[in-house]
Amino acid sequence: MSSQRNIVVVMADQFRAEAIAALGTDPVVTPNLDRLVAEGCAVQHSVSSYPVCSPHRAMFLTGMTPSHNGVTLNVNSETAADGVGLRDGVETWASVLADRGYRTGYIGKWHLEPPVAADELHGEGRRDDGKVWDAWSPPGRRFGFEFWHAYGAADRHLAPHYWVGDAERHERLDVDRWSAAHEVDVAIDFVADAAARAEPFALMVSLNPPHQPFEEVPARYRRNFEQVSDDQLLTRPNVPFGTPVAREAGRVARDYFAAITGVDEQIGRLVAALDSIASASDTIVAFTSDHGMQLGSHGLMYKNVPYEESMRIPLVLRCPGFVPPGRSEEMVSSLDFAPTILGLVGSASARPEGMVGSDRSDSLTGRAPVSEDPAAVYYRFASRSDTTELRGLRTRSRKLIGTWHPELGLTIECFDLVADPFEQDGEAFDPTAAGLAVRLLRRLEHDGDDWPGLEPLRERVCAVV
């Protein structure tokens, strides 16, 4: 066995935890992911601490909180004007592994580069919302990834484009192929090349589907869902049927689940190629997402809300002989991924000081019991269009969410995730909830978080205890 394990991370955008047939209740067709679950470890409490694209990805790579890594909101031309973007010089798990001799690579959607004026001309262009989202990343701002076949944020699944290697901003590659299939082609070539050089490799493949536009999915994947009724598609009891949102969710679900079938097929191709090129016992495969999707639950369509449909994400790890198969009750939050990845490949000692997340690798590999009472922080920062600002705490069994309204003050929601898994019946702010609030306050204070709800939450705790 190699002294340095390889790792391949696949992140599918907006792929919620329920959308693997072996793990959830969505009516999806995912035979390859089901096989990965059977052969690997499925983490039951994998959590997106900020369930929207850029903030989660920044935490995933750096293990740093949003206020420290610079990505407090989704990155686009508007937020770039406010200074939002991954900060120069921050270390990532990729930069650590590159320094330790790994061949590192990034393929697909990046969405961490602040757009500049020229990106409107050479990238996706300006969207209907008036913002530029897509951006070329200069070679000096790739944060440890040596091989580069990526773009910023362009929602053109059937006609994707990429900047490859040292290509300049005006030298993009346009591809006439479904993005997920093309990116897996590139990933297979990357792994074959690294194996031929006898180099350990660390690769991240960032697939945009099943993110919208939902209709941009090859037609053959839709066949499984053409005759399925809305109530068979939307199985969660917190979907308010008969409402406009539920009707929209029913229309969207067919394409969303079709894209998931397509992603599953590409996972199957990639894992089969990995097994033929590299030793399975030397290569960790990790499948995950940046956030989920409401898909009608709680009367909402998308994400960036503290409900389970958005917060819970899949995490499946496979490495025969190293990662014991089964279901793990461990919690892995956005901040925990970077130190955990370093731990999995035996590089925990090289962890940068700025990574504040927890390394869960020992429990995921059976070398230690699961964490006794872990908790994930929830973040949402104020933006120009929404001045509310949220913080929260999720444990295995409970959730507390505080929302700061500049005009209305602090509101608090509490949920028992065991008795009320669909979060339909909020609980009172009682001593148990106050205990969660104390833990949240301590964490935010430790991190130097200046959330405006800190003092009002402290006052609420004092009033209860």
Side-chain angles (χ1 to χ4, degrees):
M1 180 177 288
S2 166
S3 60
Q4 293 178 292
R5 285 189 178 82
N6 311 307
I7 187 163
V8 177
V9 177
V10 181
M11 178 181 285
D13 201 323
Q14 206 161 286
F15 194 117
R16 66 186 192 172
E18 291 294 312
I20 297 178
L23 298 176
T25 58
D26 286 338
V28 288
V29 179
T30 56
N32 296 292
L33 285 166
D34 293 347
R35 189 175 308 115
L36 201 68
V37 169
E39 296 173 355
C41 171
V43 180
Q44 302 293 85
H45 297 279
S46 182
V47 177
S48 180
S49 294
Y50 196 151
V52 69
C53 185
S54 303
H56 170 84
R57 290 164 187 263
M59 286 188 277
F60 183 96
L61 292 171
T62 68
M64 299 168 65
T65 64
S67 14
H68 287 93
N69 64 42
V71 185
T72 53
L73 297 163
N74 249 350
V75 178
N76 56 54
S77 55
E78 180 180 279
T79 62
D82 297 327
V84 174
L86 198 54
R87 288 185 177 143
D88 281 332
V90 297
E91 293 184 272
T92 67
W93 55 263
S95 64
V96 171
L97 295 184
D99 288 344
R100 292 172 74 85
Y102 275 77
R103 170 80 164 153
T104 58
Y106 195 95
I107 299 169
K109 179 177 180 177
W110 178 244
H111 203 180
L112 290 169
E113 185 64 32
V116 298
D119 287 315
E120 181 177 358
L121 175 63
H122 296 292
E124 177 194 53
R126 192 170 295 271
R127 294 186 184 176
D128 292 341
D129 62 7
K131 303 171 188 174
V132 176
W133 292 76
D134 191 24
W136 170 77
S137 293
R141 279 186 48 82
R142 293 176 182 174
F143 298 92
F145 290 105
E146 178 186 5
F147 177 86
W148 191 259
H149 193 106
Y151 60 94
D155 290 337
R156 295 176 179 172
H157 307 331
L158 296 176
H161 65 258
Y162 305 86
W163 285 279
V164 180
D166 293 333
E168 296 291 336
R169 195 186 310 270
H170 64 283
E171 296 176 319
R172 79 182 204 191
L173 170 70
D174 288 79
V175 175
D176 184 21
R177 184 160 165 76
W178 193 47
S179 61
H182 170 73
E183 288 156 23
V184 167
D185 287 346
V186 177
I188 291 170
D189 289 344
F190 171 91
V191 170
D193 180 65
R197 301 184 192 196
E199 295 176 328
F201 56 84
L203 175 65
M204 183 162 172
V205 185
S206 178
L207 308 176
N208 206 356
H211 188 282
Q212 65 265 25
F214 303 109
E215 66 275 10
E216 290 199 13
V217 57
R220 63 192 178 91
Y221 297 130
R222 293 195 182 98
R223 293 171 191 154
N224 295 307
F225 309 101
E226 289 173 350
Q227 305 302 318
V228 182
S229 65
D230 285 7
D231 62 337
Q232 292 173 309
L233 290 167
L234 308 174
T235 59
R236 298 178 75 79
N238 54 16
V239 176
F241 283 100
T243 64
V245 169
R247 286 189 287 272
E248 181 186 3
R251 289 192 300 271
V252 162
R254 289 170 175 82
D255 287 338
Y256 178 73
F257 293 150
I260 282 168
T261 298
V263 167
D264 177 82
E265 184 177 281
Q266 301 311 315
I267 299 299
R269 288 182 57 224
L270 178 57
V271 171
L274 282 170
D275 288 351
S276 68
I277 295 168
S279 167
S281 62
D282 277 351
T283 303
I284 301 162
V285 178
F287 176 77
T288 188
S289 179
D290 51 356
H291 52 78
M293 180 178 177
Q294 290 301 114
L295 204 61
S297 289
H298 299 282
L300 301 168
M301 273 298 298
Y302 295 104
K303 64 270 186 176
N304 204 12
V305 292
Y307 294 118
E308 290 292 277
E309 293 81 8
S310 288
M311 284 188 71
R312 281 194 63 238
I313 53 177
L315 175 57
V316 184
L317 301 169
R318 191 201 72 157
C319 186
F322 179 58
V323 177
R327 309 289 172 90
S328 172
E329 288 296 319
E330 188 54 272
M331 176 176 284
V332 180
S333 74
S334 300
L335 291 169
D336 302 331
F337 276 97
T340 298
I341 287 171
L342 293 179
L344 286 168
V345 298
S347 296
S349 62
R351 168 181 173 158
E353 191 174 316
M355 284 187 181
V356 299
S358 298
D359 176 4
R360 307 298 195 194
S361 61
D362 280 351
S363 67
L364 296 177
T365 55
R367 295 174 291 189
V370 296
S371 306
E372 185 175 344
D373 188 18
V377 177
Y378 176 86
Y379 301 92
R380 196 172 85 205
F381 283 72
S383 67
R384 297 188 189 188
S385 60
D386 185 352
T387 57
T388 60
E389 190 158 349
L390 283 69
R391 297 293 186 275
L393 201 74
R394 183 201 188 275
T395 68
R396 291 189 182 102
S397 60
R398 306 191 96 80
K399 183 186 292 182
L400 178 140
I401 300 294
T403 302
W404 172 256
H405 308 261
E407 286 123 19
L408 302 176
L410 181 70
T411 59
I412 300 174
E413 294 178 281
C414 311
F415 296 101
D416 182 333
L417 300 177
V418 176
D420 179 27
F422 302 103
E423 298 166 290
Q424 294 174 290
D425 300 305
E427 296 190 310
F429 189 74
D430 59 13
T432 300
L436 283 183
V438 169
R439 291 179 67 180
L440 175 61
L441 287 167
R442 288 174 179 163
R443 178 63 181 271
L444 297 178
E445 289 163 355
H446 176 271
D447 293 342
D449 193 315
D450 60 357
W451 178 53
L454 273 173
E455 192 55 40
L457 181 58
R458 190 176 291 110
E459 292 171 1
R460 292 287 297 273
V461 169
C462 291
V464 171
V465 299

